[in-house]
Amino acid sequence: MPAGFNLDRALRRYRPDKHSAILHHRDESDLAYVERENLVGPPLLLDTCVYLHVLRGKTPQKVDSLLETRLLFHSATAIGELTYRFGARVAGNLREKAAREKLAVAIRRIPGHRVVAPTVAIWGEAGILAGLRARLGGFTQLANQSMLNDALLFLQALAIGAIVLTENAGDYDIFEQIHPNGRALYYRALP
């Protein structure tokens, strides 16, 4: 068995064979949205969307206040999703080049001592969690990598005692239902 990951323990924890009912998204009133959150509280682990919304000026004031107040952690997974853009696309005009440079500056400013990386155990469990999310939510193969990355963030936050800050209620709501010890804090991006 891979060092740091115990498949049998992970299977006992998640019991994938016991989950058969489709999980539905809960009502927004049952989810933790930033509007109802205190500024002081547990650390936050930022989902990839947060960086992009901050750069585009699409974060609500409450999110900006939380980012200034709370202890922030950054995931190597989110950094990978952000840097993917540099390899996948060539900036074709001045606007795209400027946006690319803003993203580069933001990545360079991430403090190295606040970056967390998934362990082998988290990778192993994230695969199970993402698979459950896909099966119980009726998703196709195309969404699997994105769900795996979100599962990695969710479990990393749980491991360090943080909450994932995200706009993505679609995946994280289901993760919270499957693994109720993990937490996400949701916001709605500005238009």
Side-chain angles (χ1 to χ4, degrees):
M1 207 169 297
F5 176 60
N6 186 316
L7 176 61
D8 296 324
R9 183 176 25 215
L11 291 173
R12 281 192 303 274
R13 176 177 293 144
Y14 290 96
R15 301 183 183 279
D17 295 340
K18 301 282 184 192
H19 292 278
S20 59
I22 298 297
L23 293 176
H24 299 283
H25 294 288
R26 296 175 290 176
D27 188 76
E28 282 192 3
S29 63
D30 295 328
L31 301 177
Y33 272 88
V34 295
E35 295 84 9
R36 299 186 297 269
E37 186 75 6
N38 292 324
L39 288 179
V40 177
L44 299 173
L45 180 67
L46 307 182
D47 191 2
T48 307
C49 60
V50 177
Y51 300 93
L52 300 174
H53 290 147
V54 166
L55 290 173
R56 294 174 182 151
K58 292 186 171 200
T59 50
Q61 179 58 49
K62 185 71 179 259
V63 169
D64 295 338
S65 297
L66 285 167
L67 294 173
E68 292 171 5
T69 307
R70 298 272 183 104
L71 180 61
L72 304 178
F73 286 97
H74 309 270
S75 171
T77 305
I79 293 169
E81 286 185 328
L82 292 169
T83 58
Y84 172 85
R85 298 165 192 287
F86 292 98
R89 201 172 162 165
V90 175
N93 58 47
L94 291 176
R95 183 175 169 211
E96 289 178 2
K97 288 179 184 177
R100 188 181 178 118
E101 185 52 35
K102 278 177 70 173
L103 179 59
V105 168
I107 293 169
R108 289 181 189 116
R109 287 186 178 159
I110 294 173
H113 69 284
R114 292 277 184 240
V115 175
V116 294
T119 63
V120 173
I122 288 174
W123 271 103
E125 288 193 19
I128 296 169
L129 183 59
L132 280 167
R133 168 65 184 105
R135 179 167 53 90
L136 301 176
F139 275 83
T140 65
Q141 295 286 358
L142 295 175
N144 283 350
Q145 184 62 50
S146 174
M147 273 187 277
L148 178 58
N149 289 346
D150 289 339
L152 286 165
L153 284 163
F154 184 78
L155 294 176
Q156 283 179 272
L158 180 63
I160 62 172
I163 299 171
V164 177
L165 179 63
T166 185
E167 183 195 36
N168 182 358
D171 287 335
Y172 288 94
D173 173 23
I174 302 297
F175 291 154
E176 286 183 296
Q177 291 179 60
I178 295 168
H179 199 316
N181 293 333
R183 286 196 50 213
L185 179 61
Y186 305 100
Y187 69 92
R188 293 169 197 86
L190 301 175

